[in-house]
Amino acid sequence: SDIRENLTYPIFGQAIRELAQTVADDGYEPDIILSIARGGVFVAGGLAYALDCKNIHLVNVEFYTGVGSTLEMPVMLAPVPNAIDFSNKKVLIADDVADTGKTLKLVHDFCLEHVAEVRSAVIYEKSHSLVKCEYVWKRTDEWINFPWSVEPPVVRREGQVLDA
Ligand code: 5GP
């Protein structure tokens, strides 16, 4: 369908504060926020400030190749985080959306083997997600336009370079 959930940067700012508040109200105090790149990096940065957590890690996962088109399974790309950094830590996984939930499950399972505790925070969760995140700002089943990926990458404009 043509229906889209449109997240803007101003609404994103509000969403992050509200998402962080639900984590705080729940009494969860993560030692580490593990972001799933690239979309989860925005979420992790916002949550880290709002929760006063100074330790952000990052894992790159590749899954989606376009609107609604995916690889067969998500894969962690190198460099994979060093599990030793997570030993006996309370981790909060941060991502933009749990859609099929396969990406979050991959990262969650990776963490489970090493950490003291792991929970997940997402802006959006879709009803068919196989992972149920502890912290969700909004539920939708529409395709979401995120402010960081709604526009194509910038391209170089010839003849626009100023002289030094
Ligand atoms: P999952 O593994 O849960 O199916 O998908 C996780 C990743 O796929 C998300 O982190 C996001 O990058 C991408 N993705 C899934 N659903 C959507 C969507 O509705 N809109 C956008 N822009 N990306 C999505």
Side-chain angles (χ1 to χ4, degrees), residues 36 39 63-64 74 95-104 126 129 142-146 149:
I36 305 179
F63 191 23
Y64 281 74
D95 206 357
D96 47 6
V97 49
D99 189 321
T100 65
K102 288 180 180 174
T103 299
L104 266 156
K126 302 197 181 177
S129 173
E142 309 301 341
W143 183 262
I144 305 145
N145 285 338
F146 288 103
S149 54

Side-chain angles (χ1 to χ4, degrees), residues 94-131:
D95 206 357
D96 47 6
V97 49
D99 189 321
T100 65
K102 288 180 180 174
T103 299
L104 266 156
K105 187 178 186 321
L106 176 76
V107 176
H108 192 271
D109 288 351
F110 170 81
C111 287
L112 262 187
E113 298 171 26
H114 313 286
V115 303
E117 193 171 358
V118 57
R119 299 186 188 179
S120 302
V122 291
I123 308 178
Y124 292 102
E125 186 177 275
K126 302 197 181 177
S127 57
H128 59 216
S129 173
L130 61 89
V131 166

